[in-house]
């Protein structure tokens, strides 16, 4: 990994750590459903000035499901922070340190960096590419490696992604 990529990754991880440590009124508030769309649900939290909108789905099939916590895939917007189309994966176990998660939609794939039980894309441009693929695709496949060195594979249906995406865009001023 080159120095610039390592520095970028370190800055992202540090920012996520700061984000997790701060109280966020929008995230602390109860989620309000804005609809179910196929296999995806859409929600908002917060109020104007601190709104968080997201679409979420759980896998249709997941390996080692009985030994894992909550497993889900999100796409979210935080308009007041000018963050749109952020992709986040929560895998339900601690990832192996230094490992990456792989996301596959059709013949396209992306590697995500991992931290504890979550994963994110390395670059904002990859978020946008991945969201476009989600809206056009049929199935999303996620593979990851646990800290116990167990390989997992989760398959998500993409039915309803376009409608859920439109709903969160409208709720967060992008639609």
């Amino acid at each position: 990994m080159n120095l610039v990529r390592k520095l970028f990754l370190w800055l992202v991880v540090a920012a996520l750590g700061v984000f997790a440590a701060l109280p966020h009124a929008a995230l602390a508030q109860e989620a309000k459903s804005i609809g179910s769309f196929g296999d995806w649900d859409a929600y908002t939290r917060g109020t104007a000035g601190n709104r968080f909108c997201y679409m979420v789905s759980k896998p249709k099939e997941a390996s080692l499901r009985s030994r894992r916590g909550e497993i889900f895939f999100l796409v979210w917007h935080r308009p007041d922070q000018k963050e749109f189309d952020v992709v986040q994966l929560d895998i339900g176990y601690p990832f192996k340190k230094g490992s990456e998660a792989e996301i596959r939609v059709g013949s396209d794939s992306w590697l995500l960096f991992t931290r504890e039980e979550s994963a994110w894309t390395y670059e904002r441009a990859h978020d946008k590419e991945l969201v476009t693929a989600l809206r056009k695709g049929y199935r999303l496949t996620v593979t990851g490696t646990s800290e116990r060195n167990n390989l997992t594979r989760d398959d998500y249906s993409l039915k309803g992604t376009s409608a859920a995406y439109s709903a969160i865009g409208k709720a967060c001023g992008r639609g």
Side-chain angles (χ1 to χ4, degrees):
M1 192 181 298
N2 68 32
L3 183 60
V4 172
R5 188 170 176 183
K6 283 182 182 178
L7 179 60
F8 174 77
L9 178 59
W10 183 86
L11 288 171
V12 169
V13 170
L16 290 170
V18 168
F19 174 75
L22 294 174
H24 293 282
L27 299 179
Q29 292 180 359
E30 180 104 8
K32 177 183 171 194
S33 175
I34 53 175
S36 290
F37 307 92
D39 294 315
W40 290 74
D41 296 309
Y43 298 91
T44 62
R45 291 180 187 241
T47 58
N50 197 21
R51 185 168 304 277
F52 179 74
C53 304
Y54 61 99
M55 56 188 265
V56 61
S57 187
K58 293 188 175 198
K60 291 292 188 183
E61 296 180 31
S63 57
L64 306 174
R65 187 184 297 255
S66 65
R67 299 181 354 201
R68 296 165 66 181
E70 290 290 318
I71 309 165
F72 51 92
F73 194 92
L74 301 125
V75 175
W76 49 269
H77 303 321
R78 288 187 352 173
D80 300 304
Q81 287 75 28
K82 297 185 180 12
E83 295 175 334
F84 297 95
D85 299 336
V86 178
V87 171
Q88 179 179 334
L89 165 68
D90 283 62
I91 200 101
Y93 59 72
F95 280 102
K96 180 178 181 177
K97 296 237 187 290
S99 71
E100 295 175 306
E102 182 181 24
I103 305 296
R104 183 168 293 281
V105 178
S107 61
D108 296 324
S109 65
W110 295 264
L111 292 176
L112 281 65
F113 73 91
T114 63
R115 180 170 179 249
E116 297 172 5
E117 295 189 11
S118 299
W120 298 269
T121 61
Y122 284 101
E123 300 175 26
R124 288 217 184 235
H126 294 166
D127 281 321
K128 292 199 177 297
E129 292 169 6
L130 184 46
V131 169
T132 298
L134 293 174
R135 296 180 67 199
K136 293 179 180 177
Y138 174 72
R139 181 185 1 219
L140 163 70
T141 301
V142 175
T143 55
T145 305
S146 75
E147 67 183 0
R148 294 182 178 175
N149 220 30
N150 292 315
L151 182 64
T152 60
R153 177 184 165 142
D154 304 328
D155 291 313
Y156 293 77
S157 165
L158 296 177
K159 181 181 177 185
T161 53
S162 287
Y165 183 80
S166 293
I168 65 170
K170 184 176 180 181
C172 272
R174 280 197 72 140

